[in-house]
Amino acid sequence: MTTDSFQIAGKTYSSRLLVGTGKYKDFDETRRAIDASGAEIVTVAIRRVNIGQNAGEPSLLDYLPPSQFTYLPNTAGCYSADDAVRTLRLARELLDGHKLVKLEVLGDSTTLYPNVLETLKAAETLVKDGFDVMVYTSDDPIIAKELENIGCCAVMPLASLIGSGMGILNPWNLRLIIENAKVPVLVDAGVGTASDAAIGMELGCAGVLMNTAIAGARDPVRMARAMKLAVEAGREAFLAGRMPRKLYSADPSSPVSGMIASK
Amino acid sequence: MIQLSINGNTQAFAAPLTVSSLVDQLGFAGKRLAVELNGEIVPRSSHADTQLADGDTLEIVVAVGGG
């Protein structure tokens, strides 16, 4: 069996599970969950430092050293292209010229649905500025293609709303996006449990990005392991090629001849 | 004294003051952070020789947990 690795912006990764670092009880739990997930790429947010905070206080970077993980700074909470670009320029300075970023520009605070117009604008600026942009977007195949054409290195449509755990609501659109794309397509947002991740991978996604599905589980470390296995299982199933669906047509698995005689 | 707006709060500091001495005074020496001065990023290599002036607006950010 050949090794099944994938590339983002020219770098090869073996884990197709990307994880967020938010919503954990503490940094120790964050680290244990991320270790259990096997993720190599971890997202982080960029926020104002608390002035007056105890400077000796541990930080996320102490628990997840940038030497051991590929950081994916995000623009969570940004509602305009300008804010997103500004945030990622700060992230690049913070992480010593690091170019790989996750762009998300939100449309409203109730649904956290992406504002694709602002996302397109920000993507153009960032790509011109030399960033490797992994972009969060809606599951619209036309917008996904536009973002690829702009030069984004990965397109990441939502499965369902951020943090909702509602799973993959439109597998048909995801499939359209995947079949049209020449860059990796990752499901980002909406995964609730292991089967959602597996379905995403079975559809042909290059990877899955999640945070709340792990951090919000009763046992986050165990769920992290479940997600690792689900992503691997889904990828294997995709590569193996599933049997065709035969609607309303049964086909026995055991021989139909050689049955003992009926009395 | 000079008045600086740091992360949305105005504070007074003794002048002259560079970005790196401000970072030290705030207790963040050695911490991995990024500084924006009046909308422009100040690269870490320039912290020591960037002088701050009355009315300057700074954003000082770090990486935190997020999805």
Side-chain angles (χ1 to χ4, degrees):
Chain A
M1 217 171 73
T2 54
T3 52
D4 176 42
S5 55
F6 82 119
Q7 288 203 335
I8 292 177
K11 193 172 167 193
T12 303
Y13 300 92
S14 52
S15 171
R16 292 171 179 272
L17 175 57
L18 287 67
V19 296
T21 55
K23 297 188 181 173
Y24 287 97
K25 189 179 70 192
D26 52 35
F27 289 140
D28 180 61
E29 185 183 71
T30 310
R31 176 65 202 234
R32 285 185 298 120
I34 288 166
D35 282 345
S37 77
E40 296 162 291
I41 301 177
V42 298
T43 65
V44 295
I46 304 299
R47 290 292 179 271
R48 284 172 163 176
V49 69
N50 286 323
I51 304 292
Q53 110 185 338
N54 178 5
E57 218 168 71
S59 77
L60 181 71
L61 284 86
D62 299 327
Y63 283 79
L64 299 171
S67 56
Q68 291 173 30
F69 296 92
T70 295
Y71 269 40
L72 187 63
N74 71 24
T75 60
C78 290
Y79 287 86
S80 71
D82 285 348
D83 281 350
V85 169
R86 196 173 154 207
T87 299
L88 292 177
R89 285 181 175 150
L90 280 165
R92 181 168 61 182
E93 161 63 17
L94 184 73
L95 297 169
D96 302 323
H98 177 87
K99 284 164 37 183
L100 187 69
V101 295
K102 171 180 162 179
L103 170 65
E104 58 181 296
V105 186
L106 304 177
D108 76 66
S109 60
T110 310
T111 63
L112 302 178
Y113 212 77
N115 180 330
V116 295
L117 298 176
E118 291 295 306
T119 302
L120 288 162
K121 255 198 269 178
E124 260 182 73
T125 306
L126 290 166
V127 168
K128 276 191 198 137
D129 206 3
F131 285 93
D132 293 324
V133 182
M134 300 179 75
V135 59
Y136 171 65
T137 184
S138 63
D139 59 5
D140 179 327
I142 307 303
I143 297 295
K145 197 67 195 174
E146 286 290 329
L147 289 163
E148 178 183 331
N149 290 342
I150 284 170
C152 293
C153 67
V155 176
M156 307 199 291
L158 50 78
S160 47
L161 303 183
I162 292 174
S164 72
M166 290 168 73
I168 294 174
L169 299 185
N170 198 337
W172 310 101
N173 270 28
L174 283 182
R175 198 57 200 267
L176 284 173
I177 292 171
I178 292 162
E179 282 177 8
N180 272 320
K182 293 190 181 66
V183 295
V185 175
L186 291 87
V187 158
D188 179 4
V191 165
T193 188
S195 53
D196 299 330
I199 290 168
M201 296 307 295
E202 286 170 12
L203 287 167
C205 285
V208 181
L209 199 167
M210 64 180 76
N211 187 346
T212 313
I214 296 175
R218 195 177 62 234
D219 181 343
V221 178
R222 192 159 202 157
M223 186 58 89
R225 181 175 148 73
M227 291 301 185
K228 170 186 160 71
L229 296 172
V231 167
E232 287 173 5
R235 178 66 184 172
E236 286 294 290
F238 171 74
L239 293 175
R242 62 154 296 150
M243 63 165 281
R245 281 189 176 84
K246 288 174 274 189
L247 297 181
Y248 308 111
S249 160
D251 180 7
S253 304
S254 304
V256 291
S257 62
M259 297 290 294
I260 58 168
S262 54
K263 281 186 184 166
Chain B
M1 298 291 276
I2 52 171
Q3 298 279 332
L4 302 175
S5 166
I6 306 169
N7 291 354
N9 293 309
T10 304
Q11 272 180 264
F13 291 88
L17 184 69
T18 62
V19 170
S20 55
S21 43
L22 172 67
V23 168
D24 289 353
Q25 281 187 38
L26 294 173
F28 299 127
K31 203 176 161 87
R32 191 186 275 261
L33 40 75
V35 178
E36 199 191 70
L37 170 60
N38 301 326
E40 297 292 329
I41 287 171
V42 184
R44 200 165 302 138
S45 55
S46 309
H47 284 191
D49 42 48
T50 301
Q51 291 290 337
L52 295 168
D54 193 44
D56 278 347
T57 299
L58 293 115
E59 292 284 346
I60 306 178
V61 300
V62 289
V64 302

